[in-house]
Every structure is written in structure tokens, then in C-alpha cells.
Amino acid sequence: MPTLDVDHSDDAYRNWLKEAVRKVQADANRSADTHLLLFPLPEQWGIDLYLKDESTHPTGSLKHRLARSLFLYGLCNGWIRPGRPVIEASSGSTAVSEAYFAKLIGVPFIAVMPRTTSAEKIRLIEFHGGRCHFVDDSRTMYAESAALAVETGGHYMDQFTYAERATDWRGNNNIAESIYQQMRLERYPEPTWIVATAGTGGTSATIARYVHYMQHDTRICVADPENSCFFDGWTKNDAEATSDCGSRIEGIGRPRMEPSFVPGAIDRMMKVPDAASVAAVRALEQAIGRKAGGSTGTGLWSALRIVAEMVAAGRTGSVVTLICDPGDRYLDKYYSDAWLAEQGLDVRPYAQTIERLLSTGEWRCQGLDRAVSDTGGPVR
């Protein structure tokens, strides 16, 4: 029987691949770490609240880390090829970051997204050379992206499947390792809680796995917005949980339990009303002079509730949450009173809750926490 020798190597492709990987890694090498900002709380509480400011990445959001990891993963697996498009299902920020990396290595990029995505995110995707492909129902994004990949001969990146596996959760300067390094000289260097929000679920999975791997005592809370199934799927242990409509808080909340969401790794979930998310992000601007996106508000609301629980229990310690992206992408939404009125969102009761907490240490939401569902997820 003759020897079979199949050679799939190609010098031109291998040279292109090496250069593409070099460019993506060089981007990481050029990027400084993101800042850890302090949210002002009364000194006598003995509690420190920090925000990891991911809006300072080159593409302006937490998703820059994810996009870099996904591109390296796709390149090293041989999925991303020269001249063929990369396609992603994204409500905005991931698509902005992936468009940046696609342009960096010279491949086309197509973002499949809801028609309701903010105009500023669409502009940024196109600025980086990407093309936007709109759908009317966010639940069809996955199938539409896969179909486009077949039609064009491209690669469907599929952040919702690969986010939790493309990032090295053991370290390698991931977001969790960065937080602990930056906390090293603080008065409470090991956070009592870290609060994340979930779009793919990849960030919460990375942080939670790192905490367990490094044997820290930190607990992980995931804040979920309205019109998302993660909270129900987690509390009911239902991997098939779904939501019938899309999230108003761009970048987080999903209509299905995504493969990258790892329920068993986290300790707690909170369901946050959208009006509370907006109230929190506006309170952030008053506190530190920075506008941020709605997902930041979802996490901050949950972090403030945890702070209130610690005050009530007489506990000291630190809490960390994230600034996911800048508020200038959402001036026509979360910072627009007209948009709030159109959506039927009244932020005033939630704003009063935050003001009362910061002035008295008391958390009195007058039943508003249960307007959507019980926000106090069980501690596992």
C-alpha cells in the first residue's frame, strides 16, 4: 500500500497567519492597563467601591479584550483566512472591537445586529471598515450570521459560544488578574464582591474561574437587565430558559441561555429594572463626572445594593464593578429624557434610592426591586 502524504501547508497562508497574529499581539503590547476608579462613599462605612474602567481601551469598551481573544482563537484554529469576511452577531460594542481587529489584519467584517442598535455604535463599526447587516428580531441574529458565513465563505466568530473559552481564565493579564494586581495596595485588597453584567457571559466566567483558581474568598454577582433570560435560567436551573423580547440595555441581556454563560461558577444574580440601570449610570456621572453606558448602570445598581447590605450588617470590605463602555454612545438613549418617556421608564424612584443610600446608608426601594422579579438571587 502506497504511503499517503497530505500537505495542507501553504507558505503564503502561513506567512499571512504569522503576520496577523503578530499584529493582534502587538495591539495588546501597545495597550496600557485600564484604570481602577474609586466611587466616593462615606468614609465611616469602611467600604470601598471601585469601577474597572474598560472604556479606555482603543475601541472604547470591555469588548476590546474579548475581540482580541476571539481573533487570536480564530486565527490559531485556522478559521480566519485572508480575504474572507469575519461575521459576528452583536448588539454593538463587540462588533466595534471586532471591526477594528478585522481592519488591523486586513479582512472584511460584517456585523449582524438589531435595527435598534444605537446610531453611534453603527457609525463606529463603519468607521473601522465594517459593514452592518440589520435584523428586526434579535433572536434571528445567530441564524442570519451563520447563513452569511456559508454564503460568503467567511467565518462566523460566534462570541456567544466562544467567549468563555477564547480567554485564558488562569491569568495572562486577563481582566481578573488585572483587578487583583491593581487592588494589591488598597486597604481591602481582596474584594468581598465583584459584580459583572452578562452579554455573552464570558467576563463573569473569566473572573469567577480566576477567583476559584487562585483560591480567593471573593464572591461573584452577575447583574441581569429586564428582557433577559439569564436570571430565570440561573434561579430555576433551566438551561432552556428564553426571553420573548430584546434587552433595552445594549450589550447585556440575552433571549436565550448562551453557551458562554457558566451558571455554576458564580455566587449570586440580581435582576435589575432598566429604569434602575439608567438612574445608576446618571448617578455615576454626578459622582465622578463620567458618562457610561447602560450596562455599567446595571452593574453599579447591584454593587450599590451589596454595599447597602454590608453597611446594614456592619461589615467592611471592598466591592468592584465595571465601566463597560462610554456614555457618548448612548446620548440619544440613556441620557435622553425623551427616550425614557418613549420607553415608559421613570428613573426618579431609583435615583431617590441611590441618593438616600449615599446620604444615610439605608436602602429603601419601596418595593421597586420586585417590580421585575426578586433581585436577591440565592447565594450558592
Side-chain angles (χ1 to χ4, degrees), residues 71-365:
F71 265 82
L72 286 173
Y73 194 69
L75 285 166
C76 294
N77 282 336
W79 298 340
I80 300 173
R81 294 278 173 159
R84 299 183 187 179
V86 169
I87 295 134
E88 183 63 282
S90 169
S91 62
S93 286
T94 300
V96 173
S97 298
E98 289 188 8
Y100 168 92
F101 283 105
K103 184 178 182 180
L104 185 69
I105 66 171
V107 297
F109 178 74
I110 303 171
V112 179
M113 60 175 57
R115 203 172 297 278
T116 55
T117 300
S118 72
E120 179 62 12
K121 284 186 179 177
I122 294 168
R123 185 192 71 79
L124 288 169
I125 292 164
E126 293 175 344
F127 172 79
H128 290 299
R131 177 165 70 86
C132 298
H133 180 96
F134 298 104
V135 296
D136 294 314
D137 185 344
S138 62
R139 292 171 294 183
T140 67
M141 290 166 56
Y142 317 95
E144 191 74 10
S145 298
L148 272 174
V150 172
E151 177 186 323
T152 62
H155 170 57
Y156 172 27
M157 192 73 91
D158 195 1
Q159 60 167 323
F160 298 105
T161 294
Y162 295 106
E164 58 88 10
R165 67 189 73 169
T167 299
D168 184 355
W169 50 267
R170 297 171 187 84
N172 196 21
N173 196 34
N174 67 31
I175 188 171
E177 185 176 60
S178 174
I179 288 170
Y180 278 91
Q181 177 61 27
Q182 291 177 313
M183 290 287 293
R184 188 170 54 87
L185 299 180
E186 300 303 305
R187 63 173 174 170
Y188 307 114
E190 184 172 284
T192 306
W193 286 91
I194 297 177
V195 179
T197 50
T200 62
T203 299
S204 61
T206 296
I207 295 173
R209 287 165 166 170
Y210 181 84
V211 164
H212 301 321
Y213 180 68
M214 298 300 293
Q215 303 161 59
H216 293 304
D217 289 328
T218 304
R219 299 297 190 263
I220 308 302
C221 175
V222 172
D224 202 33
E226 291 181 39
N227 303 331
S228 175
C229 70
F230 286 143
F231 180 87
D232 287 341
W234 188 80
T235 54
K236 298 174 183 176
N237 195 27
D238 180 8
E240 304 301 319
T242 59
S243 175
D244 291 333
C245 52
S247 172
R248 286 181 291 204
I249 306 300
E250 287 192 25
I252 60 171
R254 299 302 304 160
R256 69 175 191 182
M257 294 289 281
E258 301 294 353
S260 282
F261 179 60
V262 184
I266 64 176
D267 301 285
R268 180 177 184 176
M269 287 200 72
M270 292 192 193
K271 189 75 167 179
V272 178
D274 290 348
S277 297
V278 177
V281 84
R282 291 184 172 197
L284 176 67
E285 182 181 16
Q286 295 174 355
I288 67 171
R290 297 283 299 277
K291 283 185 170 69
S295 57
T296 298
T298 308
L300 180 57
W301 175 268
S302 297
L304 288 170
R305 175 167 173 146
I306 287 172
V307 166
E309 293 171 355
M310 293 172 67
V311 171
R315 296 186 60 193
T316 58
S318 58
V319 179
V320 178
T321 187
L322 310 176
I323 295 179
C324 303
D325 60 359
D328 57 8
R329 297 180 178 183
Y330 309 97
L331 297 180
D332 59 343
K333 285 192 172 185
Y334 313 125
Y335 294 92
S336 167
D337 291 338
W339 183 84
L340 291 177
E342 178 186 306
Q343 297 294 316
L345 296 176
D346 183 3
V347 304
R348 291 171 297 179
Y350 300 98
Q352 290 168 3
T353 295
I354 295 172
E355 291 170 6
R356 186 181 301 113
L357 168 66
L358 297 179
S359 61
T360 69
E362 296 181 7
W363 184 270
R364 287 185 293 153
C365 211

